[in-house]
Amino acid sequence: MSSQSSIGKQYSEKAYRWNQENYSRQRRFIDIWRFVLTLITGLWLDGKPWSYRGGYTEQKHAYRRKTQAIWIRDTFLDLGPTFIKVGQLFSTRADIFPSEYVEELSKLQDRVPAFSYEQVEQIIQEDLGKPIKELFSGFDPIPLAAASLGQVHKAQLRSGEEVAIKVQRPGLKKLFTIDLQILKGIAYYFQNHPDWGRGRDWSGIYEECCRILWEEIDYLNEGRNADTFRRNFRKYDWVKVPRVYWRYTSSRVLTLEFLPGIKISSYEALEAAGLDRKLIARLGAEAYLQQLLNDGFFHADPHPGNIAVSHKGSLIFYDFGMMGQIKANVREQLMETLFGIAQKDGDRVVTSLIELGALSPVSDMGPVRRSVQYMLDNFMDKPFEDQSITNISDDLYEIAYGQPFRFPATFTFVMRAFSTLEGVGKGLDPEFNFMEVAKPFALEIMTNGNTPDNNSFINELGRQAAQMSSTALGLPQRIESTIEKLERGDLRIRVRSIESDRVLRRLSGIQLGTNYTLLISAFTLSATILFVNGNVVLALVVVLVAAMLGFALIRLLRRLDRFDRML
């Protein structure tokens, strides 16, 4: 067994305040709310043209937002494991957060200082009931990797097998409990905010984050996920999944078969090992499509650090803490969305998104349909096989951002995984096309497992005839349903006059200007009285307030002048 004195030499990184077993609830409350209040202030200033030196421009606004996104990423790392994981989850939510935030949060890596070997010994003895020396014939005290939730050590069982032991960070459950309780209050604040709460289910997002975080730190759950994943790929010799040693596993300790490999993004190392990079790219895509479209149980975090390649060319998957499940009907609707995008059929995309739960039907779906169709007409100008998953997901998120709906976690995990794998595939093979690999899987799903004849005009006519007959038969029922809604008063017709809106805004501005004028007069009179009575300092303060109100009145009058020219 190696000497434990060398541990500190490997990890001389920043000592984070959260890297401890006992946490102060008051200290965490102050740190977290200080971040939130600073962020809110920054967002408020972003919307004020006067806060930009030299005047507002789009370039200055974009630069400020980029700088703010980098600050958020660094602050999440400083705040610790809860926020690192929340940030990684938020990086999949381009439908809610600006693209600059998503881009920076996707770079959030949880490479953090390791905790001590003494703490590892204590956790293993508490959970497995015996000290390390009795359980293992060898145990390397220097971790192979350290992350925000835990770290991995290499060891050897008494029977001779080499294993990788994942040990949870001390005090992690206590930290999660404190942080999530504080985040609940923050979610409540944003949910009730007049601007940021509109069309956003922050309480639902909070509950979703809680569920994912608690599942990820339950190593028994991760072990079950690994076993399920391994069973799903038992027929494929080109996919390897580490075996779980349940005798040496608990809720805080996970012991897996040691399966070393070359990181899938280490392109030069793969080349040096004599492996076919084009084949690896295709196998990576097929493995994920198999998970998603056939098994319905998929790796929700397939970044390059979680996929390796053996010296024989097999794919090795690691880290099964974050997995996703997708039902058969959802798989079909997901493919419907992709086909609708490829065919530039806005109605088909909107219908499939409603079926997926990504869209909540509202009384007026016209703006959403027009947004979808506009994106399809202007950005999707290539055939299905030449489409990019990244471009498709970016277009969908562009449509979603600012609209009163959000994509469910499963959908965003899938699109994020697709984009990641497409990026890795292109790194392995510049000519790699994810959609080309996906097409056979998609056609199989859409035809219920029957091999389609792509050139069959009869089949297409039959499909369209069936669709038309279904629509015709359902028309009377739809008309009756609409009449019933009218009778009940459930169907509302909203008419909006732009000219009336402008006039009302102008009247509101005039009323506000009258209030400003009255206040300026009152403050000016008060300042005069104070000055006459010798209260010079107080009079100056009142004059300053009157001047600020005067400045606001001038800005308001300029806006009213613009309204006059518009009307």
Side-chain angles (χ1 to χ4, degrees), residues 11-308:
Y11 292 88
S12 57
E13 302 175 37
K14 178 178 178 179
Y16 294 102
R17 186 187 296 157
W18 51 262
N19 191 22
Q20 54 183 310
E21 286 190 64
N22 295 311
Y23 305 95
S24 165
R25 187 180 298 272
Q26 290 75 20
R27 180 75 253 178
R28 294 297 293 176
F29 183 88
I30 293 169
D31 288 346
I32 293 169
W33 270 104
R34 181 170 56 192
F35 158 70
V36 172
L37 294 174
T38 306
L39 176 61
I40 290 172
T41 304
L43 293 173
W44 180 77
L45 286 172
D46 282 352
K48 304 298 178 185
W50 52 262
S51 69
Y52 294 83
R53 182 178 296 177
Y56 172 88
T57 64
E58 286 293 336
Q59 291 79 8
K60 290 179 182 178
H61 180 65
Y63 176 78
R64 184 182 285 187
R65 183 173 275 186
K66 180 71 173 178
T67 305
Q68 192 176 61
I70 295 171
W71 171 76
I72 291 171
R73 183 197 67 199
D74 293 341
T75 307
F76 274 16
L77 187 59
D78 287 338
L79 287 172
T82 314
F83 286 83
I84 291 172
K85 287 301 168 185
V86 167
Q88 290 172 347
L89 292 174
F90 282 176
S91 71
T92 67
R93 301 309 303 264
D95 56 320
I96 297 176
F97 301 103
S99 57
E100 293 89 352
Y101 292 7
V102 170
E103 182 183 351
E104 287 303 320
L105 290 175
S106 65
K107 300 175 186 176
L108 194 61
Q109 300 295 319
D110 52 358
R111 292 181 60 83
V112 296
F115 49 93
S116 69
Y117 177 68
E118 289 80 3
Q119 291 171 306
V120 171
E121 282 186 310
Q122 181 181 350
I123 290 171
I124 289 178
Q125 182 158 352
E126 287 176 358
D127 278 37
L128 303 184
K130 292 182 181 179
I132 285 178
K133 292 181 180 179
E134 292 184 24
L135 292 168
F136 308 102
S137 59
F139 192 100
D140 190 348
I142 301 176
L144 296 172
S148 57
L149 302 187
Q151 61 193 39
V152 180
H153 292 260
K154 185 180 177 182
Q156 190 175 46
L157 300 178
R158 293 285 177 185
S159 54
E161 294 108 313
E162 288 190 329
V163 294
I165 303 176
K166 189 175 179 180
V167 184
Q168 192 174 109
R169 189 170 288 277
L172 190 62
K173 291 181 179 178
K174 182 179 179 181
L175 179 65
F176 270 22
T177 302
I178 294 171
D179 286 356
L180 290 174
Q181 187 175 3
I182 297 169
L183 283 171
K184 187 175 184 179
I186 294 169
Y188 178 81
Y189 170 79
F190 277 97
Q191 189 66 62
N192 290 279
H193 194 278
D195 295 325
W196 301 324
R198 191 186 304 128
R200 294 285 180 257
D201 182 14
W202 292 108
S203 298
I205 294 170
Y206 166 77
E207 295 295 338
E208 183 181 289
C209 287
C210 285
R211 179 184 60 78
I212 293 172
L213 290 177
W214 285 120
E215 284 181 359
E216 193 164 358
I217 64 169
D218 181 2
Y219 287 174
L220 291 173
N221 181 64
E222 182 173 345
R224 289 190 291 269
N225 289 339
D227 276 353
T228 302
F229 197 84
R230 188 159 52 88
R231 281 196 302 272
N232 290 343
F233 280 98
R234 61 184 179 276
K235 297 178 182 177
Y236 303 88
D237 57 359
W238 47 272
V239 174
K240 302 294 182 186
V241 181
R243 172 190 166 196
V244 181
Y245 290 87
W246 286 105
R247 182 182 170 188
Y248 305 95
T249 295
S250 69
S251 61
R252 294 191 296 169
V253 179
L254 177 63
T255 303
L256 297 164
E257 177 185 4
F258 183 69
L259 287 179
I262 303 169
K263 191 176 178 180
I264 196 169
S265 59
S266 299
Y267 308 127
E268 293 179 1
L270 294 171
E271 193 82 34
L275 298 171
D276 186 346
R277 286 169 53 172
K278 290 188 176 183
L279 177 61
I280 292 170
R282 188 171 189 88
L283 290 178
E286 288 185 2
Y288 196 78
L289 289 164
Q290 169 70 26
Q291 298 167 48
L292 179 68
L293 303 178
N294 293 342
D295 301 332
F297 183 76
F298 64 95
H299 200 299
D301 191 23
H303 65 74
N306 287 337
I307 307 175

Side-chain angles (χ1 to χ4, degrees), residues 378-398:
N378 289 276
F379 300 102
M380 306 300 295
D381 53 357
K382 296 180 181 178
F384 183 81
E385 296 83 354
D386 298 332
Q387 297 288 357
S388 163
I389 280 288
T390 304
N391 291 340
I392 289 175
S393 59
D394 287 347
D395 288 343
L396 281 174
Y397 292 144
E398 183 71 25

Side-chain angles (χ1 to χ4, degrees), residues 344-565:
K344 298 186 180 181
D345 188 342
D347 287 339
R348 190 174 184 179
V349 172
V350 170
T351 302
S352 62
L353 290 176
I354 291 173
E355 292 294 327
L356 274 169
L359 262 175
S360 299
V362 293
S363 57
D364 184 11
M365 292 296 292
V368 177
R369 291 181 190 277
R370 286 193 293 273
S371 298
V372 171
Q373 195 62 56
Y374 176 82
M375 296 295 293
L376 297 176
D377 291 340
N378 289 276
F379 300 102
M380 306 300 295
D381 53 357
K382 296 180 181 178
F384 183 81
E385 296 83 354
D386 298 332
Q387 297 288 357
S388 163
I389 280 288
T390 304
N391 291 340
I392 289 175
S393 59
D394 287 347
D395 288 343
L396 281 174
Y397 292 144
E398 183 71 25
I399 294 167
Y401 183 65
Q403 296 284 355
F405 60 86
R406 68 185 186 91
F407 292 122
T410 301
F411 185 89
T412 52
F413 282 143
V414 168
M415 298 307 291
R416 173 71 179 275
F418 274 157
S419 299
T420 302
L421 289 168
E422 185 176 55
V424 172
K426 287 189 180 296
L428 290 165
D429 174 17
E431 298 178 0
F432 173 76
N433 188 306
F434 191 94
M435 294 298 279
E436 187 178 344
V437 180
K439 190 176 182 181
F441 286 85
L443 290 173
E444 184 179 354
I445 292 293
M446 297 302 293
T447 56
N448 295 319
N450 300 318
T451 305
D453 180 3
N454 294 331
N455 299 318
S456 175
F457 182 67
I458 305 276
N459 286 346
E460 180 62 19
L461 278 178
R463 187 187 69 81
Q464 293 198 16
Q467 185 177 0
M468 287 179 65
S469 62
S470 174
T471 302
L473 289 172
L475 187 58
Q477 184 178 358
R478 292 175 65 185
I479 293 173
E480 184 180 353
S481 174
T482 304
I483 292 172
E484 286 179 358
K485 286 181 180 179
L486 280 169
E487 290 175 345
R488 290 196 307 264
D490 292 341
L491 192 64
R492 293 178 297 175
I493 298 174
R494 186 174 58 183
V495 179
R496 182 178 177 183
S497 170
I498 296 175
E499 295 298 324
S500 298
D501 287 348
R502 288 175 179 173
V503 172
L504 288 172
R505 284 200 301 269
R506 186 174 182 278
L507 289 173
S508 176
I510 291 172
Q511 184 179 4
L512 184 59
T514 304
N515 293 337
Y516 278 149
T517 304
L518 290 172
L519 286 171
I520 292 169
S521 302
F523 278 112
T524 304
L525 181 61
S526 300
T528 304
I529 295 170
L530 289 169
F531 182 77
V532 170
N533 289 322
N535 295 323
V536 179
V537 176
L538 192 55
L540 287 174
V541 172
V542 175
V543 167
L544 182 61
V545 174
M548 291 173 64
L549 288 169
F551 177 72
L553 178 61
I554 291 169
R555 290 185 61 200
L556 179 62
L557 290 173
R558 292 178 64 184
R559 283 208 306 270
L560 288 175
D561 184 55
R562 285 200 299 270
F563 279 135
D564 284 338
R565 288 198 294 269

